[in-house]
Amino acid sequence: MNNLKSNNDIVKLFNLFIQNRCSEAEIDQLMAHFGQPESIAELRILVEKQLQSHTEHDSTEIDTILQRVDDSIRARILTPPKKKSKWIWGASAAAAVLIVGLGSLLWIKQLNREGTNGSVIAANTQAIDDVSPGTSQAILHLSDGNKINLDNTEFWHDGVGQGAFDARNGELNYNGHSQSEHRKNWNVLEVPKAGTYVMNLPDGTKVWLNADSKLYFPDQFSSDQRMVKVEGEVFFDVKRDVSRPFIVQVGALNINVLGTSFNIKTQGANQVSTTLVTGLIEASYKGQKKRIVPGNKMVLDLASGAMQVFPADLESATAWKNGYFYFKDENMKQILRDIGRWYDLEIAVIGTLPTGAYSGSVDRNSSLKAVLAMLESVSDCTFKIEGHKLIVNALN
């Protein structure tokens, strides 16, 4: 099978696909190309152009296109193999974006032509039938008791003395306070569910916070160390400073670094993991110590106190900060937990979730419906959205 070598090849093949003129091999090429997370933005542009070219056409013609797309892709959604590991998305990621993307954009265009009443219906339908993905948002709790709401659009600046903050475009910069090192006052950057945010610390360290996470940082780092505390999932790119080690605390777990990049994630109430991308870190917990080298991860079981080091899949540890979900041999419970955090959902399971490991990826900017369509196609589960409650019917 030949690869798609140029943008012109992709556009040509996509247009043939919409017209139902692709061969079996050509459709497989398209699905392989658009099954990659980095191709989702390109696919959205093609979908939008296709809809714009049909704006003035009869709605039945567009319905025919949608049905043709739906039928063609559904025939190619990957069937999970009979072994435990199941590839869940790949080609079906393209399926969901095409089907849901074409359908939702068409719905919006039709409602715009119908006027205000249609817009009200659209808003109500969105609230009942779908949930939008998360956005850049956070709450900054200052050590003096003030609280500032931050989002991706507004600019905020606090230039009091040398303790200047400024926030814009989903990123918070902090210069630190000039004060006595004997007073350590803590600030908190809190990212709620359905949120993500980036922070630049005074030493040049960059921090990414995932949904439902917190970063505790002092007004000023001391002269001999840089210490922060975290909850949830956080990725660090630490500025190297041999004279001042960087220490991350997660409860009683300490992670010591000089200059490195790594991910920390709490999984439920009983497990913490840290995955090292570059550099060297040492994790210590109640007298135990583990050194971690790049490409490995340490898992701490809080119930037993056991610390173990395993080879890691680096993409699964960093995908969220790069804008997509990526699961590698993950159980359904953890997948639903991550989806619930990003879409701010309460998860209710009826029955017993399927066992086994699932792998795959999808753009985090996808609507909830798109993600659930993928999960439903490969698992023994059906899903129902009631406001911000996701009801999972496990059929096995």
Side-chain angles (χ1 to χ4, degrees), residues 86-114:
K86 304 176 183 180
W87 180 261
I88 57 175
W89 293 329
S92 55
V97 173
L98 274 171
I99 296 168
V100 178
L102 278 167
S104 60
L105 287 173
L106 170 63
W107 177 241
I108 292 169
K109 287 179 179 295
Q110 287 178 329
L111 289 174
N112 286 340
R113 291 199 297 269
E114 291 170 6

Side-chain angles (χ1 to χ4, degrees), residues 313-329:
D313 187 294
L314 296 184
E315 188 171 5
S316 65
T318 59
W320 65 269
K321 82 177 185 68
N322 295 325
Y324 61 100
F325 288 111
Y326 178 88
F327 299 108
K328 182 66 180 288
D329 296 330

Side-chain angles (χ1 to χ4, degrees), residues 337-349:
R337 183 182 290 135
D338 287 349
I339 290 172
R341 284 196 307 165
W342 183 236
Y343 292 91
D344 191 10
L345 298 168
E346 176 190 349
I347 308 294
V349 178

Side-chain angles (χ1 to χ4, degrees), residues 20 27 53 66 69 73 83 103 105 114 122 131 135 148 171 185 228 273 298 306 321-322 341 351 363 372 385:
N20 202 27
I27 294 177
S53 69
L66 291 175
V69 170
I73 298 177
K83 59 183 181 180
L105 287 173
E114 291 170 6
V131 177
T135 59
I148 297 95
E171 195 159 322
N185 298 314
V228 297
S273 65
M298 185 280 299
K321 82 177 185 68
N322 295 325
R341 284 196 307 165
D363 186 353
L372 296 182
I385 307 167

Side-chain angles (χ1 to χ4, degrees), residues 253 267 269-273 285-286 288 298-308 310:
L253 173 68
Q267 295 177 278
N270 294 319
Q271 193 177 91
V272 181
S273 65
Y285 180 75
K286 296 184 177 179
Q288 303 178 73
M298 185 280 299
V299 178
L300 169 63
D301 186 312
L302 294 172
S304 65
M307 298 173 69
Q308 294 180 288
F310 304 96

Side-chain angles (χ1 to χ4, degrees), residues 25 56 96 124 169 176 181 210 234 289 296 298 313 329 380 382:
E56 304 303 325
N124 289 339
N169 301 324
E181 293 182 1
N210 203 353
V234 181
K289 290 186 178 181
N296 282 353
M298 185 280 299
D313 187 294
D329 296 330
D380 295 323
T382 60

Side-chain angles (χ1 to χ4, degrees), residues 252-279:
L253 173 68
N254 281 359
I255 298 171
N256 296 269
V257 307
L258 289 176
T260 185
S261 56
F262 60 101
N263 193 70
I264 297 175
K265 182 176 184 179
T266 57
Q267 295 177 278
N270 294 319
Q271 193 177 91
V272 181
S273 65
T274 182
T275 303
L276 183 62
V277 178
T278 63

Side-chain angles (χ1 to χ4, degrees), residues 173-304:
N173 299 305
Y174 180 44
N175 295 325
H177 279 283
S178 177
Q179 63 175 34
S180 168
E181 293 182 1
H182 297 294
R183 293 175 55 210
K184 179 169 284 189
N185 298 314
W186 291 90
N187 309 284
V188 184
L189 184 64
E190 177 185 6
V191 177
K193 288 184 177 180
T196 185
Y197 219 80
V198 179
M199 182 168 186
N200 297 299
L201 293 171
D203 67 325
T205 293
K206 197 177 188 75
V207 188
W208 289 258
L209 285 83
N210 203 353
D212 198 19
S213 300
K214 293 179 181 179
L215 172 70
Y216 298 79
F217 59 98
D219 283 341
Q220 183 71 32
F221 287 134
S222 65
S223 60
D224 60 346
Q225 67 177 21
R226 298 164 290 165
M227 179 180 287
V228 297
K229 305 173 185 178
V230 301
E231 296 175 13
E233 184 167 22
V234 181
F235 186 92
F236 288 90
D237 189 354
V238 176
K239 183 74 172 179
R240 184 175 176 84
D241 185 345
V242 176
S243 64
R244 293 192 304 166
F246 196 94
I247 302 172
V248 181
Q249 288 189 338
V250 189
L253 173 68
N254 281 359
I255 298 171
N256 296 269
V257 307
L258 289 176
T260 185
S261 56
F262 60 101
N263 193 70
I264 297 175
K265 182 176 184 179
T266 57
Q267 295 177 278
N270 294 319
Q271 193 177 91
V272 181
S273 65
T274 182
T275 303
L276 183 62
V277 178
T278 63
L280 180 70
I281 62 177
E282 183 177 77
S284 58
Y285 180 75
K286 296 184 177 179
Q288 303 178 73
K289 290 186 178 181
K290 295 285 185 181
R291 283 207 162 191
I292 305 155
V293 298
N296 282 353
K297 92 173 165 180
M298 185 280 299
V299 178
L300 169 63
D301 186 312
L302 294 172
S304 65

